[in-house]
Amino acid sequence: MSRAARALNCPNCGSGFELKGGRKTKTATCSSCGSTLDVSKPPFAVLGQLDQSRHVPLGDIRLGQTATVDGIAYEVIGRIRLGEEGSFWDEWLCLGPRGKTVWLGEDAGRLSVQRVFTPEEAPDFDAITAGPMLNVDGTRYMVDERGGASVMHIEGELTWRAKLGDAVGYVDALRGIERVGIEWTEEEIEFFRVEPVTRKAMWEILGLTDKITAFDAAVTEAAGIRKAAQVLLLVTAVCFGLGVVLGGGLFDSKVVHLKSPIATRGLDTGLILGKAKLGKGFGRYVVEAEVDLPHNVNHYALSLHGADGKTLPVIKFVQDKPARNARIEGQTKFTVPGAEAEYELVLDGQVDAAVTQAAPDGRVTLKITRERARGSTMILVSIVLLLMAMFKFGAAKRAAPTDDVLPLPYDDDDD
Amino acid sequence: MSLSCPNCGAPLELQHRSVKLTVCAYCQTASAIENDRADPLGKSATLIDDESFLRVGMVGQVRGRGFSIAGRLRFEYEDGYWDEWFTLFSDGTNGWIHDDEGDLTLLQKQTVTAPVPAFDSIRVGQKVQVGDQLVYIREKSTAEVLGGEGQLAMRVVPGAPIAYADGMANGQAVMLEWADDGLELCIGVEIDPDEIEVDM
């Protein structure tokens, strides 16, 4: 994997440590005293002192880890933090066999694998330092970020002599999911292919199987919650649909009161008691009738007569024997087909001719109400279910492990 | 050709007629080879024992060509050092394997046929005309010869300062070195260390 280690003693505190990069390492930090050392040749000079408790790594990358990139195992041997106060990013140096290097980048949660490359066609320096576009090897990239930074912190080993405050210019450019990075100083300019990776992909690179397992478990749990939310949403849709079919309407209406005297005269030809506007809608009608019948009336029937000639039977009563001033109470439910229309409430009856004794007039008290539609109940239920589903979706979103922020794609069509 | 070290008398076996400098493996005295004589130039710094997989005396294959490494020069600059391995190829030519922190470039010297911009006028990120090539400058700095070993095709005095600029043109690596004895231009290609097959 990496080169043979080189043992040395810190010239500041005397602590012994090994340089994993071997001769490749030019700068190293002593983990005991924080000294930054020039280890390119003896005597090793102390370049500075670092507070190792500051500028700690924010992600999961650590020195000493094995990073497998493109099937090659590298060792993470160094870190450099670049930026200015309040804004910074980390670049981790990984050393592989035969001196190969690759970099892992961490920038505000965005992770990347960065490979140094030599473009055959490089942009002019003026274009690198200004302008919205860069042409690298015939491909146009849109500048995403450009600026200057300085070395804020060093940890582990680096392959050049680095010290705090060293200045570097940088530009990041993208095209679709492709990214290139350029960093330069007065002496050198380097090009990088920047491959954004997700957190899980970085864990796979670093072989952090525990984190991968926990991540997958969280994803599964979130998926389960999301599925429950989807079922709830489906049930919501069904309830709402049922509510529509059964008829909505949350308020009672169409209450019709009728009080009408009944005279026996004309009863057998149909007595119009009154009129009511009734019609198809959500729900059914309930008619409650209280009929005081003259004792000489039997076979009475209440019905609704529409303008189109339709007749809706409401209540029918057959009395075998006339009874003196019988009172009949009844309730029935019926549905009125068709659009809303005016109906006549008609009382048909049969007067028993054998009864000769004069009978007082009867009376019918009638109440027609529109039954509270079950459909509205279903709609209420669907609203509750919808709220539950939204809550579940929110819970699924909270439970789902977050992933990296990937760069916005740039395409030629955007020109 | 066999010569003797002018300092300690140890044998100096020259591997190629192009060798102009050789470092005695016993006393590290660098000697200029001219007119079949070895003239001492001074002590070469003992190079740090490193773990480079390249070695003086290594024989192998690279990109279909047999090679043997005859010597090494180490240059030190502000941010570290690099090695240049003087390499003899089986087709009779010679060149260099430039080894900069593990990044290898296979180079061959070219004749400078046209004026080259002065070192001070060049800047990183600029394109400069070198002969018929437009070279993109990637790096420029100054360095000095730290030391060497084996045999080399150039006369270099340990401690001699050089100015250099590295760049690329038409997919090839271009290296310019301004030294006291003139300008050297090398052109080559970057290679992956895995492309070098070592025989011994």
Side-chain angles (χ1 to χ4, degrees):
Chain A
M1 182 169 59
S2 61
R3 296 171 161 265
R6 183 155 60 108
L8 69 153
N9 291 93
C10 173
N12 186 58
C13 70
S15 297
F17 61 96
E18 285 190 339
L19 297 177
K20 294 179 180 172
R23 72 141 184 153
K24 294 301 180 192
T25 300
K26 308 294 194 307
T27 305
T29 56
C30 174
S31 57
S32 297
C33 68
S35 293
T36 309
L37 310 172
D38 174 358
V39 295
S40 59
K41 62 176 181 178
F44 304 137
V46 178
L47 299 175
Q49 212 78 27
L50 291 170
D51 181 0
Q52 295 294 335
S53 66
R54 291 190 67 203
H55 300 294
V56 293
L58 298 179
D60 298 310
I61 308 173
R62 294 289 184 277
L63 297 186
Q65 289 173 328
T66 300
T68 304
V69 177
D70 301 328
I72 298 170
Y74 296 80
E75 182 170 357
V76 181
I77 66 167
R79 172 171 72 106
I80 187 166
R81 176 161 287 182
L82 295 163
E84 305 295 339
E85 285 302 323
S87 173
F88 57 83
W89 71 92
D90 285 336
E91 294 181 3
W92 297 83
L93 173 62
C94 307
L95 191 63
R98 289 188 162 183
K100 284 186 176 181
T101 59
V102 73
W103 291 84
L104 304 178
E106 279 183 305
D107 182 359
R110 296 188 300 181
L111 304 173
S112 60
V113 175
Q114 300 177 15
R115 302 170 178 84
V116 175
F117 78 102
T118 303
E120 293 196 9
E121 192 183 318
D124 287 335
F125 193 69
D126 291 338
I128 291 173
T129 54
M133 305 297 295
L134 288 176
N135 195 322
V136 181
D137 287 339
T139 301
R140 282 161 57 83
Y141 295 82
M142 181 176 75
V143 173
D144 181 41
E145 193 176 349
R146 175 190 284 124
S150 57
V151 175
M152 300 174 71
H153 190 73
I154 298 167
E155 183 188 5
E157 303 173 31
L158 298 173
T159 54
W160 73 99
R161 290 184 193 137
K163 57 187 184 301
L164 294 187
D166 283 349
V168 62
Y170 69 92
V171 65
D172 291 329
L174 56 92
R175 179 188 174 86
I177 61 170
E178 292 181 30
R179 293 186 77 100
V180 293
I182 306 174
E183 291 181 2
W184 65 90
T185 62
E186 286 286 324
E187 289 81 30
E188 188 174 9
I189 185 167
E190 274 194 313
F191 294 79
F192 301 86
R193 293 264 183 229
V194 180
E195 177 195 351
V197 295
T198 63
R199 276 200 312 166
K200 186 176 177 184
M202 185 60 77
W203 292 332
E204 288 169 348
I205 287 171
L206 298 171
L208 301 178
T209 50
D210 287 349
K211 289 193 178 286
I212 295 171
T213 303
F215 181 89
D216 288 342
V219 167
T220 302
E221 182 189 349
I225 298 173
R226 194 177 306 112
K227 194 166 181 68
Q230 287 168 344
V231 170
L232 269 176
L233 202 59
L234 183 63
V235 173
T236 300
V238 169
C239 287
F240 187 81
L242 272 177
V244 170
V245 168
L246 291 175
L250 298 175
F251 305 102
D252 284 335
S253 63
K254 303 290 182 187
V255 177
V256 179
H257 290 273
L258 277 177
K259 275 189 181 179
S260 183
I262 300 173
T264 54
R265 190 180 309 111
L267 190 63
D268 51 359
T269 57
L271 198 64
I272 298 174
L273 300 178
K275 293 181 181 178
K277 268 196 180 172
L278 307 171
K280 182 180 179 181
F282 300 113
R284 301 184 299 178
Y285 291 96
V286 176
V287 58
E288 296 165 77
E290 191 179 285
V291 182
D292 289 321
L293 274 181
H295 66 268
N296 61 341
V297 173
N298 57 13
H299 294 104
Y300 89 93
L302 271 175
S303 59
L304 291 168
H305 291 236
D308 56 358
K310 278 187 187 167
T311 299
L312 301 174
V314 177
I315 294 176
K316 192 172 183 183
F317 171 75
V318 175
Q319 182 174 258
D320 289 332
K321 298 178 179 178
R324 177 181 287 279
N325 304 324
R327 166 169 283 189
I328 296 129
E329 295 176 0
Q331 185 188 77
T332 189
K333 295 180 181 179
F334 63 95
T335 303
V336 175
E340 188 174 74
E342 196 170 71
Y343 288 82
E344 290 179 335
L345 196 67
V346 176
L347 181 68
D348 290 299
Q350 185 178 10
V351 175
D352 190 342
V355 177
T356 54
Q357 183 183 0
D361 287 342
R363 189 172 60 194
V364 61
T365 302
L366 194 78
K367 179 180 172 185
I368 304 175
T369 58
R370 192 179 204 167
E371 186 178 54
R372 176 181 284 272
R374 290 187 186 138
S376 62
T377 302
M378 295 304 287
I379 289 178
L380 271 175
V381 169
S382 68
I383 292 172
V384 172
L385 288 174
L386 179 63
L387 290 172
M388 288 173 62
M390 288 168 63
F391 178 78
K392 276 284 187 190
F393 276 118
K397 192 173 179 183
R398 286 189 298 276
T402 56
D403 215 316
D404 304 335
V405 175
L406 293 180
L408 294 173
Y410 161 72
D411 205 277
D412 248 348
D413 295 338
D414 293 342
D415 283 341
Chain B
M1 184 197 308
S2 291
L3 296 173
S4 297
C5 174
N7 184 55
C8 69
L12 301 173
E13 296 291 336
L14 303 183
Q15 294 186 35
H16 195 267
R17 65 180 181 279
S18 63
V19 171
K20 290 189 169 56
L21 181 144
T22 183
V23 178
C24 177
Y26 295 94
C27 68
Q28 275 73 54
T29 295
S31 300
I33 308 299
E34 196 166 3
N35 298 325
D36 298 337
R37 282 163 47 99
D39 292 324
L41 294 172
K43 284 278 191 179
S44 172
T46 301
L47 302 181
I48 294 172
D49 184 21
D50 57 53
E51 292 78 36
S52 172
F53 78 99
L54 298 174
R55 291 273 186 273
V56 173
M58 176 180 282
V59 176
Q61 305 276 326
V62 61
R63 295 208 171 180
R65 287 201 291 173
F67 75 89
S68 64
I69 294 180
R72 168 164 66 145
L73 261 183
R74 175 162 290 177
F75 295 83
E76 184 180 41
Y77 66 113
E78 185 183 13
D79 283 343
Y81 61 85
W82 77 87
D83 291 330
E84 293 187 5
W85 302 87
F86 179 56
T87 307
L88 306 172
F89 294 102
S90 54
D91 57 8
T93 61
N94 59 69
W96 300 86
I97 298 177
H98 181 98
D99 179 359
D100 183 5
E101 297 169 2
D103 296 326
L104 304 182
T105 309
L106 195 57
L107 295 166
Q108 285 189 287
K109 188 175 175 180
Q110 304 283 318
T111 305
V112 181
T113 57
V116 173
F119 174 76
D120 290 335
S121 68
I122 291 174
R123 63 172 184 165
V124 165
Q126 183 186 16
K127 293 180 183 175
V128 299
Q129 198 71 39
V130 178
D132 58 355
Q133 305 215 61
L134 195 60
V135 180
Y136 183 84
I137 303 298
R138 291 190 301 170
E139 184 177 353
K140 67 165 282 190
S141 189
T142 56
E144 69 173 40
V145 177
L146 188 62
E149 63 175 317
Q151 300 169 10
L152 303 156
M154 55 197 284
R155 180 178 167 145
V156 183
V157 176
I162 66 157
Y164 69 92
D166 296 341
M168 53 200 179
N170 300 319
Q172 292 185 305
V174 177
M175 296 192 180
L176 294 158
E177 290 179 5
W178 291 261
D180 289 339
D181 58 352
L183 173 69
E184 183 167 289
L185 168 67
C186 291
I187 294 179
V189 291
E190 294 179 353
I191 58 172
D192 191 288
D194 291 334
E195 294 185 72
I196 296 179
E197 299 171 22
V198 180
D199 296 340
M200 53 174 273

